[in-house]
Amino acid sequence: MLGNEQVYQQAMNQGHSAGWDQQWESAIEFYQQAIEEMPERAQAHTSLGLAYYELRRYEEARQCYTQAIKLSPDDPLPVEKIAQIYERTGRLTEAAEMAMNAAELHLKLHDIEKAVENWTRVVNLVPGHLKAHSRLAIVYERLGEKEQAIREYISTAALLQEIGRIEEAISAVDKAVEIDPENFEALRALEMV
């Protein structure tokens, strides 16, 4: 007789094989079997979430990813997937919030590329998201990507100015000018602030 771990691994492998073959209904059955054996394993919930997601059964997918987050709160993947579900279902504010959380988790794991990808998703969903623009400005500056950093500092300044935080807006534009004192957009923004 097989032990729980062996049954779990076998079910996960069968689920992965079914998924690989795009047989998502079968994958769901195998992943559910894996969860029955070892409900504390986040990977089984994440895999089941993916199978539901592929079938566009978004609410069930979201529930699986939510459970995966409870079991593995430092894993950005299920958070990112919930952001995508919210985006696909038109819940853009919630999508932006989850993508922001995913970006912060990726940053903790030193995965700058994935963090930037999620902050970019946030500003695409909610163009006036101050924190995402601010984070992008800092990261682009540290990466030496001057044009993007300047653009994000200017966006940050504009958003700060809109909400009456003039001192901080000036500081953001100053950072843009500091990066490239010859940049026309940065100099123009400085005049406008």
Side-chain angles (χ1 to χ4, degrees), residues 147-161:
E147 291 300 315
Q148 290 101 321
I150 290 168
R151 186 175 55 244
E152 292 300 337
Y153 276 121
I154 292 170
S155 295
T156 300
L159 293 168
L160 287 165
Q161 188 175 9

Side-chain angles (χ1 to χ4, degrees), residues 8-139:
Y8 169 83
Q9 284 302 330
Q10 189 175 47
M12 289 296 289
N13 290 340
Q14 290 171 311
H16 295 334
S17 292
W20 182 260
D21 294 335
Q22 305 288 304
Q23 296 173 347
W24 296 111
E25 292 290 347
S26 294
I28 287 170
E29 290 176 29
F30 290 121
Y31 293 138
Q32 286 173 334
Q33 183 183 352
I35 289 170
E36 285 173 25
E37 289 301 317
M38 311 210 82
E40 74 286 355
R41 298 277 177 93
Q43 185 187 4
H45 295 278
T46 300
S47 297
L48 180 59
L50 176 62
Y52 282 130
Y53 183 86
E54 290 296 328
L55 290 172
R56 294 186 172 93
R57 291 167 62 178
Y58 296 127
E59 182 53 30
E60 290 157 296
R62 188 194 61 75
Q63 290 170 8
C64 292
Y65 289 125
T66 299
Q67 184 60 32
I69 291 168
K70 289 177 187 171
L71 295 170
S72 185
D74 295 329
D75 183 359
L77 178 82
V79 179
E80 202 170 294
K81 292 303 282 186
I82 290 176
Q84 292 169 12
I85 289 167
Y86 283 152
E87 185 176 354
R88 285 190 176 224
T89 56
R91 296 165 66 180
L92 303 185
T93 303
E94 291 143 306
E97 183 181 322
M98 292 305 284
M100 196 69 195
N101 293 342
E104 298 299 325
L105 289 169
H106 281 299
L107 188 62
K108 282 182 187 174
L109 297 172
H110 306 289
D111 189 344
I112 302 302
E113 189 176 313
K114 291 297 281 180
V116 167
E117 183 182 305
N118 278 278
W119 287 319
T120 302
R121 176 177 286 122
V122 172
V123 298
N124 287 334
L125 293 168
V126 181
H129 200 290
L130 177 61
K131 189 174 180 181
H133 280 291
S134 170
R135 290 276 205 239
L136 283 168
I138 293 166
V139 169

